[in-house]
Amino acid sequence: MLRWTIIFVIIAVIAAIFGFGGIAEGAASIAKVIFFIFVVLFLISLVFGRK
């Protein structure tokens, strides 16, 4: 899941360099959502993995 976040960040950076603002914003927002889902699932697995 973290790999997908990095892929979307790279897409956003490349799109921003070439001037595609809408695509860059979309890819960046997708990367944010996937990253926060990753963090939540990671914290849940830490909490329940220790019990």
Side-chain angles (χ1 to χ4, degrees):
M1 186 174 290
L2 195 55
R3 183 177 71 168
W4 283 106
T5 303
I6 294 169
I7 290 171
F8 278 110
V9 167
I10 291 171
I11 291 172
V13 169
I14 292 172
I17 289 172
F18 288 118
F20 298 110
I23 296 172
E25 288 179 27
S29 64
I30 291 171
K32 283 182 190 177
V33 169
I34 293 174
F35 179 73
F36 286 124
I37 291 171
F38 168 78
V39 169
V40 168
L41 292 176
F42 176 72
L43 291 176
I44 290 172
S45 67
L46 280 178
V47 169
F48 289 113
R50 298 224 172 162
K51 291 185 178 182

